[in-house]
Amino acid sequence: VDAACAGARRWGVGSGASHLVSGHQTPHEALEQKLAAFTGFARALLFSTGYMANLGIVPALVGRGDAVFADKLNHASLIDAVQLSRADSQRYAHGDLAALERLLAASGARRKLILTDAVFSMDGDLAPLPGLLALAERFDAWLVVDDAHGFGVLGPQGRGSLAHFGLPAAERIIYMGTLGKAAGAAGAFVAAHESVVEWLLQRARTYIFTTGASPLIASALCASLEMIERGDARRTHLRQLSTQLRDGLAGTRWQLLPSPTAIQPVIIGDNFEALRVADALYERGLWVPAIRPPTVAKGSARLRVSLSAAHTAAQVGQLVDALKELA
Ligand SMILES: *Cc1c(COP(=O)(O)O)cnc(C)c1O
């Protein structure tokens, strides 16, 4: 909040124009440089939202006659981005490297792009990033990684899902992170090889044809990044809360998915039962949204528990007790 106020006083609330005209101000530039250094890539580019980043990246990289290979559980913004690109799209079963390998081997496309969430937003599980990168290298494909739920949370100093797996900032990875979730503000960025970022700056229409993000947000995000980097204690606390929840719910009739992240879905199955449980929790002061088809597969309605470092062990205990009673 202090950084946002100081940023607003110094640079104003609005950027006034698109980045390529005159809206790219000192805090935007500083933030892009910090994001590049933080993720280990040569360069980073700021977008107004994650949705816009994905809509910009994919059509800038592929078009008619090119091939996109997408995980079936990818976020809606990646699905829409593929449609917008007009590339030939093939979806592989969730996390299935063998299925992806078959599709890549059969493809004669000159340009190939693999698209994946790093942390799947309704299941909380991780994409097999090392295997995906190996396939991208073997079949001369690019790999776009959407780390909306990993950035700031996973990996040493919160550097994200690639760091979690110990993967380098490889040349064929296009790394996208959002800044409205763990970073606590709004916006998104793409980090990649210098020439890829220069290409996106020249070609991504959702970067070029929109007013630059607010400089006060960019100022706040510079402070967020420092907090993220120094936030190992918060991340440890968050992991402890996940363990507490999982241990606490073991043995109830509701199944937890094998999620190692802050997203911990409790699978209820039936839509109405999921709603009834969510309502009963709400009456007890616990707000846990029920997620139903078509957002998730039929018969897998769930409570999507999103843990935060701001939660306390007592609060998670309250949730476990309430769920046990309702089960
Ligand atoms: C939230 C989310 C987005 C969209 O980001 P916004 O900044 O909210 O537009 C994109 N991809 C994934 C996986 C997300 O969870």
Coordinates of all heavy atoms in Angstrom, one line a residue, residues 40-111:
G40 N 15.1 -15.4 -13.9 CA 16.3 -16.0 -14.6 C 16.2 -15.9 -16.1 O 17.2 -16.3 -16.8
F41 N 15.2 -15.2 -16.7 CA 15.2 -15.1 -18.1 C 15.8 -13.8 -18.5 O 16.0 -12.9 -17.7 CB 13.7 -15.1 -18.6 CG 13.1 -16.5 -18.6 CD1 12.5 -17.0 -17.5 CD2 13.2 -17.3 -19.7 CE1 11.9 -18.3 -17.5 CE2 12.7 -18.6 -19.7 CZ 12.0 -19.1 -18.6
A42 N 16.2 -13.7 -19.8 CA 16.9 -12.5 -20.3 C 16.0 -11.2 -20.2 O 16.5 -10.1 -19.9 CB 17.3 -12.7 -21.7
R43 N 14.7 -11.4 -20.4 CA 13.9 -10.2 -20.5 C 12.4 -10.5 -20.2 O 12.0 -11.7 -20.3 CB 14.0 -9.7 -22.0 CG 13.5 -8.2 -22.1 CD 13.9 -7.8 -23.5 NE 13.1 -6.6 -23.9 CZ 12.9 -6.1 -25.1 NH1 13.6 -6.7 -26.1 NH2 12.2 -5.1 -25.4
A44 N 11.7 -9.5 -19.7 CA 10.3 -9.7 -19.4 C 9.5 -8.6 -19.9 O 10.0 -7.5 -20.2 CB 10.1 -9.8 -17.8
L45 N 8.2 -8.9 -20.2 CA 7.3 -7.9 -20.7 C 6.0 -8.0 -19.9 O 5.4 -9.0 -19.6 CB 7.0 -8.3 -22.2 CG 6.3 -7.3 -23.1 CD1 7.2 -6.1 -23.3 CD2 5.9 -8.0 -24.4
L46 N 5.5 -6.8 -19.6 CA 4.3 -6.6 -18.7 C 3.0 -6.6 -19.5 O 3.0 -5.9 -20.6 CB 4.5 -5.3 -18.0 CG 3.9 -5.1 -16.6 CD1 4.4 -6.2 -15.6 CD2 4.4 -3.7 -16.1
F47 N 2.0 -7.2 -19.0 CA 0.7 -7.2 -19.6 C -0.3 -6.7 -18.5 O 0.0 -6.8 -17.4 CB 0.2 -8.5 -20.2 CG 0.9 -8.9 -21.4 CD1 2.2 -9.4 -21.4 CD2 0.2 -8.8 -22.7 CE1 2.8 -9.8 -22.6 CE2 0.9 -9.2 -23.8 CZ 2.2 -9.7 -23.8
S48 N -1.5 -6.2 -19.0 CA -2.5 -5.7 -18.0 C -3.1 -6.8 -17.2 O -3.5 -6.6 -16.0 CB -3.6 -4.9 -18.7 OG -3.0 -3.8 -19.4
T49 N -3.4 -8.0 -17.8 CA -3.9 -9.1 -17.0 C -3.4 -10.4 -17.6 O -2.8 -10.4 -18.7 CB -5.5 -9.2 -17.1 OG1 -5.8 -9.6 -18.5 CG2 -6.2 -7.9 -16.8
G50 N -3.5 -11.5 -16.9 CA -3.1 -12.8 -17.4 C -3.9 -13.2 -18.6 O -3.3 -13.8 -19.5
Y51 N -5.2 -12.9 -18.6 CA -6.0 -13.3 -19.7 C -5.5 -12.6 -21.0 O -5.3 -13.2 -22.0 CB -7.5 -12.8 -19.4 CG -8.5 -13.4 -20.3 CD1 -9.3 -14.5 -20.0 CD2 -8.7 -12.8 -21.6 CE1 -10.2 -15.0 -20.8 CE2 -9.6 -13.3 -22.5 CZ -10.4 -14.4 -22.1 OH -11.3 -14.9 -22.9
M52 N -5.2 -11.3 -20.9 CA -4.6 -10.6 -22.0 C -3.3 -11.1 -22.4 O -2.9 -11.1 -23.6 CB -4.6 -9.1 -21.7 CG -6.0 -8.5 -21.7 SD -6.0 -6.8 -21.2 CE -5.0 -6.0 -22.5
A53 N -2.5 -11.5 -21.5 CA -1.1 -12.0 -21.8 C -1.3 -13.2 -22.7 O -0.7 -13.3 -23.7 CB -0.3 -12.3 -20.5
N54 N -2.1 -14.2 -22.2 CA -2.3 -15.4 -23.0 C -2.9 -15.1 -24.4 O -2.4 -15.7 -25.4 CB -3.1 -16.4 -22.2 CG -2.3 -17.1 -21.1 OD1 -1.1 -17.1 -21.2 ND2 -3.0 -17.6 -20.2
L55 N -3.9 -14.2 -24.5 CA -4.5 -13.9 -25.8 C -3.4 -13.2 -26.7 O -3.6 -13.3 -27.9 CB -5.6 -13.0 -25.6 CG -7.0 -13.5 -25.0 CD1 -8.1 -12.5 -25.3 CD2 -7.3 -14.8 -25.7
G56 N -2.4 -12.6 -26.1 CA -1.4 -11.9 -26.9 C -0.3 -12.9 -27.3 O 0.1 -12.9 -28.5
I57 N 0.1 -13.7 -26.4 CA 1.3 -14.6 -26.7 C 1.0 -15.6 -27.8 O 1.8 -15.7 -28.8 CB 1.7 -15.5 -25.5 CG1 2.0 -14.6 -24.2 CG2 2.8 -16.4 -25.8 CD1 2.1 -15.5 -23.0
V58 N -0.1 -16.3 -27.7 CA -0.2 -17.5 -28.6 C -0.4 -17.0 -30.1 O 0.3 -17.5 -31.0 CB -1.4 -18.4 -28.1 CG1 -1.6 -19.5 -29.1 CG2 -1.1 -18.9 -26.7
P59 N -1.3 -16.1 -30.4 CA -1.4 -15.6 -31.8 C -0.2 -14.9 -32.3 O 0.1 -14.9 -33.5 CB -2.6 -14.7 -31.8 CG -3.4 -15.0 -30.5 CD -2.3 -15.4 -29.5
A60 N 0.7 -14.4 -31.4 CA 1.9 -13.8 -31.9 C 2.9 -14.8 -32.3 O 3.8 -14.6 -33.1 CB 2.5 -12.9 -30.7
L61 N 2.8 -16.0 -31.8 CA 3.8 -17.1 -32.0 C 3.4 -18.1 -33.1 O 4.2 -18.6 -33.8 CB 4.1 -17.8 -30.7 CG 4.8 -17.0 -29.6 CD1 4.9 -17.8 -28.4 CD2 6.2 -16.5 -30.1
V62 N 2.1 -18.3 -33.2 CA 1.6 -19.3 -34.2 C 0.4 -18.8 -34.9 O -0.3 -17.9 -34.4 CB 1.2 -20.7 -33.5 CG1 2.5 -21.4 -33.0 CG2 0.2 -20.5 -32.4
G63 N 0.2 -19.3 -36.1 CA -1.0 -18.9 -36.9 C -1.4 -20.1 -37.8 O -1.1 -21.3 -37.5
R64 N -2.2 -19.8 -38.8 CA -2.7 -20.9 -39.7 C -1.5 -21.8 -40.2 O -0.5 -21.3 -40.5 CB -3.3 -20.2 -40.9 CG -4.8 -20.4 -41.1 CD -5.3 -19.9 -42.4 NE -6.0 -18.6 -42.2 CZ -7.3 -18.5 -41.8 NH1 -7.9 -19.6 -41.4 NH2 -7.8 -17.4 -41.7
G65 N -1.8 -23.1 -40.1 CA -0.8 -24.0 -40.6 C 0.2 -24.5 -39.5 O 0.9 -25.4 -39.7
D66 N 0.2 -23.8 -38.4 CA 1.1 -24.2 -37.3 C 0.2 -25.1 -36.4 O -1.0 -25.2 -36.5 CB 1.6 -23.0 -36.5 CG 2.4 -22.1 -37.3 OD1 3.1 -22.6 -38.2 OD2 2.4 -20.8 -37.1
A67 N 0.9 -25.7 -35.4 CA 0.2 -26.7 -34.5 C 0.4 -26.3 -33.1 O 1.5 -26.0 -32.6 CB 0.7 -28.1 -34.8
V68 N -0.7 -26.4 -32.3 CA -0.7 -26.2 -30.9 C -1.1 -27.5 -30.2 O -2.1 -28.1 -30.6 CB -1.7 -25.1 -30.5 CG1 -1.8 -25.0 -29.0 CG2 -1.2 -23.7 -31.1
F69 N -0.4 -27.9 -29.2 CA -0.7 -29.1 -28.4 C -1.0 -28.6 -27.0 O -0.1 -28.0 -26.3 CB 0.5 -30.0 -28.4 CG 1.0 -30.3 -29.8 CD1 1.9 -29.5 -30.5 CD2 0.4 -31.4 -30.5 CE1 2.2 -29.8 -31.8 CE2 0.8 -31.7 -31.8 CZ 1.7 -30.9 -32.4
A70 N -2.2 -28.8 -26.5 CA -2.7 -28.2 -25.3 C -3.2 -29.3 -24.3 O -3.9 -30.2 -24.7 CB -3.8 -27.2 -25.5
D71 N -2.8 -29.1 -23.0 CA -3.4 -30.0 -22.0 C -4.9 -29.8 -21.9 O -5.3 -28.7 -22.0 CB -2.7 -29.7 -20.6 CG -3.1 -30.7 -19.5 OD1 -4.2 -30.7 -19.1 OD2 -2.2 -31.5 -19.2
K72 N -5.6 -30.9 -21.7 CA -7.1 -30.8 -21.7 C -7.6 -30.0 -20.6 O -8.7 -29.5 -20.6 CB -7.7 -32.2 -21.6 CG -7.8 -32.9 -22.9 CD -9.0 -33.9 -23.0 CE -9.3 -34.2 -24.5 NZ -9.5 -35.6 -24.7
L73 N -6.9 -29.8 -19.5 CA -7.4 -29.0 -18.3 C -6.8 -27.6 -18.3 O -6.9 -26.9 -17.3 CB -7.1 -29.7 -17.0 CG -7.8 -31.1 -16.8 CD1 -7.6 -31.6 -15.3 CD2 -9.3 -31.0 -17.1
N74 N -6.3 -27.1 -19.4 CA -5.7 -25.8 -19.4 C -6.8 -24.7 -19.1 O -8.0 -24.9 -19.3 CB -5.2 -25.4 -20.8 CG -3.7 -25.9 -21.0 OD1 -3.1 -26.3 -20.0 ND2 -3.2 -25.9 -22.2
H75 N -6.3 -23.6 -18.6 CA -7.2 -22.4 -18.3 C -7.9 -21.9 -19.5 O -7.4 -21.9 -20.6 CB -6.3 -21.3 -17.7 CG -7.0 -20.2 -17.1 ND1 -7.3 -19.0 -17.7 CD2 -7.7 -20.1 -15.9 CE1 -8.0 -18.2 -16.9 NE2 -8.2 -18.8 -15.8
A76 N -9.1 -21.3 -19.3 CA -9.9 -20.8 -20.4 C -9.2 -19.8 -21.2 O -9.3 -19.7 -22.5 CB -11.2 -20.2 -19.8
S77 N -8.3 -19.0 -20.7 CA -7.6 -18.0 -21.4 C -6.7 -18.6 -22.5 O -6.5 -18.1 -23.6 CB -6.8 -17.0 -20.5 OG -5.9 -17.8 -19.7
L78 N -6.1 -19.8 -22.1 CA -5.2 -20.5 -23.1 C -6.1 -21.1 -24.2 O -5.7 -21.1 -25.4 CB -4.4 -21.5 -22.4 CG -3.2 -21.0 -21.5 CD1 -2.6 -22.2 -20.8 CD2 -2.2 -20.3 -22.4
I79 N -7.2 -21.6 -23.8 CA -8.1 -22.2 -24.8 C -8.6 -21.1 -25.8 O -8.5 -21.3 -27.0 CB -9.3 -22.8 -24.1 CG1 -8.8 -24.0 -23.2 CG2 -10.4 -23.3 -25.1 CD1 -9.9 -24.6 -22.3
D80 N -9.0 -19.9 -25.3 CA -9.4 -18.9 -26.2 C -8.3 -18.4 -27.1 O -8.4 -18.0 -28.2 CB -9.9 -17.7 -25.4 CG -11.2 -18.1 -24.6 OD1 -11.7 -19.2 -24.8 OD2 -11.7 -17.3 -23.8
A81 N -7.1 -18.3 -26.5 CA -5.9 -17.9 -27.2 C -5.6 -18.7 -28.5 O -5.3 -18.2 -29.5 CB -4.7 -17.8 -26.3
V82 N -5.8 -20.0 -28.3 CA -5.6 -20.9 -29.4 C -6.6 -20.7 -30.5 O -6.2 -20.6 -31.7 CB -5.6 -22.4 -29.0 CG1 -5.5 -23.3 -30.2 CG2 -4.6 -22.7 -27.9
Q83 N -7.8 -20.5 -30.2 CA -8.9 -20.2 -31.1 C -8.5 -18.9 -31.9 O -8.7 -18.8 -33.1 CB -10.2 -19.9 -30.4 CG -10.7 -21.1 -29.6 CD -12.0 -21.6 -30.2 OE1 -12.8 -20.9 -30.7 NE2 -12.2 -22.9 -30.1
L84 N -8.1 -17.9 -31.2 CA -7.7 -16.6 -31.8 C -6.6 -16.8 -32.8 O -6.5 -16.0 -33.8 CB -7.4 -15.6 -30.7 CG -7.4 -14.1 -31.0 CD1 -8.8 -13.7 -31.5 CD2 -7.1 -13.4 -29.7
S85 N -5.7 -17.7 -32.5 CA -4.5 -17.8 -33.3 C -4.8 -18.5 -34.7 O -4.0 -18.4 -35.6 CB -3.4 -18.7 -32.6 OG -3.8 -20.0 -32.7
R86 N -5.9 -19.2 -34.8 CA -6.2 -20.0 -36.0 C -5.3 -21.2 -36.3 O -5.3 -21.8 -37.3 CB -6.3 -19.1 -37.2 CG -7.4 -18.0 -37.1 CD -7.6 -17.4 -38.4 NE -8.7 -16.4 -38.4 CZ -8.5 -15.1 -38.3 NH1 -7.3 -14.6 -38.1 NH2 -9.5 -14.3 -38.3
A87 N -4.4 -21.5 -35.3 CA -3.5 -22.6 -35.5 C -4.3 -23.9 -35.4 O -5.4 -23.9 -34.7 CB -2.4 -22.6 -34.5
D88 N -3.8 -25.0 -35.9 CA -4.4 -26.3 -35.7 C -4.2 -26.7 -34.3 O -3.1 -26.7 -33.8 CB -3.7 -27.3 -36.7 CG -4.1 -28.7 -36.4 OD1 -5.3 -28.9 -36.2 OD2 -3.2 -29.6 -36.4
S89 N -5.3 -27.1 -33.6 CA -5.2 -27.4 -32.2 C -5.5 -28.8 -31.8 O -6.4 -29.4 -32.3 CB -6.2 -26.5 -31.4 OG -6.5 -27.0 -30.2
Q90 N -4.6 -29.4 -31.0 CA -4.8 -30.8 -30.6 C -4.7 -30.8 -29.1 O -3.7 -30.2 -28.5 CB -3.7 -31.7 -31.2 CG -3.7 -31.5 -32.7 CD -2.9 -32.7 -33.3 OE1 -3.2 -33.8 -33.1 NE2 -1.9 -32.3 -34.1
R91 N -5.6 -31.5 -28.4 CA -5.6 -31.5 -26.9 C -5.1 -32.9 -26.5 O -5.6 -33.9 -27.0 CB -6.9 -31.1 -26.4 CG -7.3 -29.7 -26.8 CD -8.2 -29.0 -25.9 NE -9.5 -29.8 -25.7 CZ -10.3 -29.6 -24.6 NH1 -10.0 -28.7 -23.7 NH2 -11.4 -30.3 -24.5
Y92 N -4.2 -33.0 -25.5 CA -3.8 -34.3 -25.0 C -4.4 -34.5 -23.6 O -4.7 -33.5 -22.9 CB -2.3 -34.4 -25.0 CG -1.5 -33.3 -24.3 CD1 -1.2 -33.5 -22.9 CD2 -1.1 -32.2 -24.9 CE1 -0.5 -32.5 -22.2 CE2 -0.4 -31.2 -24.2 CZ -0.1 -31.4 -22.9 OH 0.6 -30.4 -22.2
A93 N -4.6 -35.7 -23.2 CA -5.2 -36.1 -21.9 C -4.3 -35.4 -20.8 O -3.1 -35.3 -21.0 CB -5.2 -37.6 -21.7
H94 N -4.9 -35.0 -19.8 CA -4.3 -34.2 -18.7 C -3.0 -34.8 -18.2 O -2.9 -36.0 -17.7 CB -5.3 -34.1 -17.5 CG -4.7 -33.4 -16.4 ND1 -4.1 -32.1 -16.5 CD2 -4.6 -33.7 -15.1 CE1 -3.7 -31.7 -15.3 NE2 -4.0 -32.7 -14.4
G95 N -1.9 -34.1 -18.4 CA -0.6 -34.5 -17.9 C 0.0 -35.7 -18.6 O 1.0 -36.3 -18.1
D96 N -0.6 -36.2 -19.7 CA -0.2 -37.4 -20.4 C 1.0 -37.2 -21.4 O 0.7 -36.9 -22.6 CB -1.4 -38.0 -21.1 CG -1.2 -39.5 -21.6 OD1 0.0 -39.8 -21.7 OD2 -2.2 -40.2 -21.8
L97 N 2.2 -37.4 -20.9 CA 3.4 -37.2 -21.8 C 3.4 -38.2 -23.0 O 3.8 -37.8 -24.1 CB 4.7 -37.4 -21.0 CG 4.9 -36.3 -19.9 CD1 6.1 -36.6 -19.0 CD2 5.2 -34.9 -20.6
A98 N 3.0 -39.4 -22.8 CA 3.0 -40.4 -23.9 C 2.0 -40.0 -25.0 O 2.4 -40.1 -26.2 CB 2.7 -41.8 -23.3
A99 N 0.9 -39.5 -24.6 CA -0.1 -39.0 -25.6 C 0.4 -37.8 -26.3 O 0.3 -37.7 -27.6 CB -1.4 -38.7 -24.9
L100 N 1.1 -36.9 -25.6 CA 1.6 -35.7 -26.3 C 2.7 -36.1 -27.2 O 2.8 -35.6 -28.4 CB 2.2 -34.8 -25.2 CG 2.9 -33.6 -25.8 CD1 2.1 -32.7 -26.7 CD2 3.5 -32.7 -24.6
E101 N 3.6 -37.1 -26.8 CA 4.7 -37.6 -27.7 C 4.1 -38.1 -29.0 O 4.7 -37.8 -30.0 CB 5.5 -38.6 -26.9 CG 6.6 -39.1 -27.7 CD 7.5 -40.2 -27.0 OE1 7.3 -40.4 -25.8 OE2 8.3 -40.8 -27.6
R102 N 3.0 -38.9 -28.9 CA 2.5 -39.4 -30.1 C 2.0 -38.3 -31.1 O 2.2 -38.3 -32.3 CB 1.3 -40.4 -29.8 CG 1.7 -41.7 -29.3 CD 0.6 -42.7 -29.2 NE -0.5 -42.4 -28.3 CZ -0.5 -42.6 -27.0 NH1 0.5 -43.3 -26.4 NH2 -1.5 -42.2 -26.2
L103 N 1.3 -37.3 -30.5 CA 0.8 -36.2 -31.3 C 2.0 -35.4 -32.0 O 1.9 -35.1 -33.1 CB 0.0 -35.2 -30.5 CG -1.3 -35.8 -29.9 CD1 -2.0 -34.7 -29.0 CD2 -2.3 -36.2 -31.0
L104 N 3.0 -35.2 -31.2 CA 4.2 -34.4 -31.7 C 4.9 -35.2 -32.8 O 5.2 -34.7 -33.9 CB 5.2 -34.1 -30.6 CG 4.8 -33.0 -29.6 CD1 5.7 -33.1 -28.4 CD2 4.9 -31.7 -30.3
A105 N 5.0 -36.5 -32.6 CA 5.7 -37.4 -33.6 C 4.9 -37.4 -34.9 O 5.5 -37.5 -36.0 CB 5.8 -38.8 -33.0
A106 N 3.6 -37.3 -34.8 CA 2.7 -37.4 -36.0 C 2.6 -36.1 -36.7 O 2.0 -36.0 -37.8 CB 1.3 -38.0 -35.6
S107 N 3.1 -35.0 -36.1 CA 2.8 -33.7 -36.7 C 3.9 -33.3 -37.7 O 5.1 -33.4 -37.5 CB 2.8 -32.6 -35.5 OG 2.8 -31.3 -36.1
G108 N 3.4 -32.7 -38.8 CA 4.3 -32.3 -39.8 C 4.4 -30.7 -39.8 O 4.9 -30.1 -40.8
A109 N 3.8 -30.1 -38.8 CA 3.8 -28.6 -38.8 C 5.2 -28.1 -38.7 O 6.0 -28.6 -38.0 CB 2.9 -28.1 -37.7
R110 N 5.4 -26.9 -39.3 CA 6.7 -26.3 -39.2 C 6.9 -25.7 -37.9 O 8.0 -25.7 -37.3 CB 6.8 -25.2 -40.3 CG 8.2 -24.6 -40.5 CD 8.2 -23.8 -41.8 NE 7.4 -22.6 -41.7 CZ 7.9 -21.5 -41.3 NH1 9.1 -21.3 -41.0 NH2 7.1 -20.4 -41.3
R111 N 5.9 -25.1 -37.3 CA 6.0 -24.5 -36.0 C 5.1 -25.2 -35.0 O 3.9 -25.4 -35.3 CB 5.6 -23.0 -36.0 CG 6.8 -22.1 -35.7 CD 6.4 -20.7 -35.5 NE 5.5 -20.2 -36.5 CZ 5.8 -19.5 -37.6 NH1 7.1 -19.1 -37.7 NH2 4.9 -19.1 -38.5

